[in-house]
């Protein structure tokens, strides 16, 4: 097998042993899903002029030289037509989204070899060994410590400055939003924005929630308010609030003006509270029910609203005025008879197990730890249910860069 780095700058000689020039690039055609046969050699002569030599002219291709089977008198200067890929220009040093490792990696070299009697581009070398080879430092790895890591050429194709796997869409769907966020963080702002826009709105919203706050702000700015709000309005209200707090005033106002009226009002209300308080950490995305609802009625209501809730561990029971009366776990709902009323199976809260809007993180941790809570109800001064704080909200506050 040969590698592109072993061929670059090698002399290209015609059948009369006359040096035509030196190899500067190899051209293939864009054919997703197959090993692309070599189509042209891009050669530069001593005068600095470039020409394209059809690969059919090539007699041999090796690390030492490139030999042609024709006598070259005149060679074409114009770039061939069609969907062309220049292995050096379009692939070398380009980025690949590696869905297996949830990361962005760089192409350090390309493997070239025979496939069905045709010389083809076979693989993309993303290994450190490939980088050493390209730098002419192969001898450094005399103990063969570093292994070649190849991406199959058939699974990749270049798209506007970034080399993407053709299975990327399937791979992306399977990735956790946090892993997708890692990929976005590895890309520059332009490519990161493209990736976020390529996702469906729900997935894009989850990814936007997971990226670093500064990048989140930059992505929204790069997308523009009209484009960004389509994604932002799919985020949870507490996450939208955190984002709006970070944005410059004019951008924040623009986003708020484009949000649906209900979401905009909730965000404005939450923005009043400090980031390290129960009011600042809580979300208003939760499920409420009335004390006299039966288990069956409650489950039916959950089915209707499940698409609007990011997660659901408890149903919070309130009276018609919004006063908090207790909570029912999903486990209790599943194991109870359909006709039972929520008031008969709900867990009535101790005043000490609920939170106040202005309580700080240390108090929140104390309460949630003492009562083994995954979520804690936040009550206003009138004992009305204002929101809930989840354990992941607390963890995100304690370890914002995790």
């Amino acid at each position: 097998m040969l590698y592109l780095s072993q061929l670059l700058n090698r002399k290209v000689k015609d059948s009369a042993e006359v040096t035509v020039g030196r190899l500067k690039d190899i051209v293939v055609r864009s054919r997703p899903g197959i090993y692309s046969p070599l189509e042209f050699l891009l050669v530069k002569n001593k005068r600095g002029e470039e020409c394209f030599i059809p690969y059919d002219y090539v007699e041999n291709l090796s690390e030492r030289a490139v030999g042609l089977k024709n006598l070259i008198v005149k060679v074409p200067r114009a770039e061939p037509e069609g969907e062309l890929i220049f292995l050096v220009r379009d692939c070398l040093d380009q980025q690949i989204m590696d869905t297996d490792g949830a990361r962005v990696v760089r192409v350090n070299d390309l493997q070239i070899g025979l496939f069905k009697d045709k010389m083809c581009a076979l693989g993309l070398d993303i290994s450190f060994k490939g980088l050493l080879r390209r730098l002419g430092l192969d001898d450094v790895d005399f103990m063969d410590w570093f292994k070649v890591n190849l991406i199959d050429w058939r699974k990749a194709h270049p798209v506007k400055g970034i080399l993407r796997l053709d299975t990327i869409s399937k791979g992306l769907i399977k990735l956790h939003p946090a892993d997708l966020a890692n990929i976005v963080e590895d890309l520059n702002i332009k490519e990161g924005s493209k990736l976020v826009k390529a996702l469906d709105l729900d997935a894009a919203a989850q990814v936007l929630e997971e990226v670093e706050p500064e990048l989140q702000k930059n992505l929204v700015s790069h997308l523009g308010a009209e484009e960004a709000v389509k994604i932002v309005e799919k985020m949870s209200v507490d996450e939208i609030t955190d984002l709006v707090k970070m944005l410059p005033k004019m951008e924040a106002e623009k986003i708020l003006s484009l949000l649906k009226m209900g979401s905009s009002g909730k965000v404005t209300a939450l923005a009043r509270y400090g980031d390290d308080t129960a009011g600042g950490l809580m979300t208003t995305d939760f499920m409420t029910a009335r004390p006299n609802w039966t288990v069956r009625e409650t489950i039916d209501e959950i089915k209707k609203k499940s698409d609007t809730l990011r997660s659901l561990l408890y149903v919070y029971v309130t009276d018609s005025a919004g006063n908090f009366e207790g909570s029912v776990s999903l486990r209790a709902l599943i194991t109870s008879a359909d006709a039972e009323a929520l008031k008969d199976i709900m867990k009535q809260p101790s005043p000490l197990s609920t939170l106040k809007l202005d309580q700080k993180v240390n108090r929140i941790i104390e309460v949630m730890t003492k009562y083994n809570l995954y979520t804690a109800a936040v009550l206003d001064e009138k004992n009305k249910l204002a929101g809930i704080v989840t354990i992941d909200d607390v963890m995100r506050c304690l370890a914002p860069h995790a």
Side-chain angles (χ1 to χ4, degrees), residues 296-310:
R296 172 47 51 193
E297 288 174 330
T298 306
I299 291 175
D300 288 343
E301 193 66 19
I302 289 174
K303 289 178 179 178
K304 291 178 187 177
K305 295 183 177 179
S306 62
D307 289 343
T308 65
L309 300 169
R310 183 63 56 85

Side-chain angles (χ1 to χ4, degrees), residues 262-319:
S263 297
S264 178
K266 290 178 181 178
V267 170
T268 302
L270 287 181
R272 299 198 307 264
Y273 305 108
D275 293 339
D276 61 345
T277 66
L281 290 174
M282 72 181 184
T283 180
T284 55
D285 295 331
F286 55 88
M287 176 77 189
T288 59
R290 298 289 176 260
N292 60 335
W293 284 14
T294 65
V295 167
R296 172 47 51 193
E297 288 174 330
T298 306
I299 291 175
D300 288 343
E301 193 66 19
I302 289 174
K303 289 178 179 178
K304 291 178 187 177
K305 295 183 177 179
S306 62
D307 289 343
T308 65
L309 300 169
R310 183 63 56 85
S311 63
L312 179 65
L313 293 175
Y314 294 91
V315 173
Y316 295 89
V317 182
T318 62
D319 64 17

Side-chain angles (χ1 to χ4, degrees), residues 327-361:
S327 61
V328 180
S329 69
L330 288 187
R331 181 180 180 180
L333 282 175
I334 294 170
T335 57
S336 298
D338 286 355
E340 282 197 84
L342 295 189
K343 63 184 178 183
D344 296 325
I345 64 171
M346 72 181 184
K347 185 181 292 185
Q348 294 186 346
S350 159
L352 297 177
S353 68
T354 59
L355 302 172
K356 299 299 182 184
L357 288 165
D358 58 353
Q359 286 179 323
K360 299 288 187 177
V361 172

Side-chain angles (χ1 to χ4, degrees), residues 213-273:
E214 188 63 25
L215 177 58
Q216 186 185 71
K217 180 177 72 172
N218 291 338
L219 284 169
V220 168
S221 297
H222 187 82
L223 289 168
E226 287 79 6
E227 193 70 33
V229 78
K230 298 174 187 176
I231 300 171
V232 170
E233 65 185 5
K234 296 287 184 178
M235 295 166 60
S236 59
V237 172
D238 55 323
E239 293 286 350
I240 300 175
T241 304
D242 292 340
L243 171 63
V244 167
K245 285 182 178 181
M246 287 192 299
L247 292 173
K249 185 178 179 181
M250 290 185 64
E251 277 189 67
E253 290 176 350
K254 182 67 173 177
I255 291 288
L256 285 172
S257 70
L258 293 172
L259 284 174
K260 294 174 183 176
M261 188 62 69
S263 297
S264 178
K266 290 178 181 178
V267 170
T268 302
L270 287 181
R272 299 198 307 264
Y273 305 108

Side-chain angles (χ1 to χ4, degrees), residues 19-71:
T19 299
V20 179
R22 291 186 178 271
L23 182 64
K24 294 299 178 183
D25 210 335
I26 296 177
V27 183
V28 300
R29 293 198 182 275
S30 180
R31 296 171 182 172
I34 68 167
Y35 291 125
S36 298
L38 308 191
E39 298 272 352
F40 297 93
L41 304 183
L42 177 59
V43 178
K44 182 179 286 189
N45 63 23
K46 291 181 180 180
R47 296 187 297 274
E49 298 168 335
E50 293 184 342
C51 61
F52 292 88
I53 298 176
Y55 190 75
D56 290 343
Y57 286 22
V58 176
E59 179 72 30
N60 62 77
L61 195 66
S62 73
E63 296 179 43
R64 288 172 293 187
V66 180
L68 307 179
K69 55 189 175 186
N70 301 77
L71 183 65

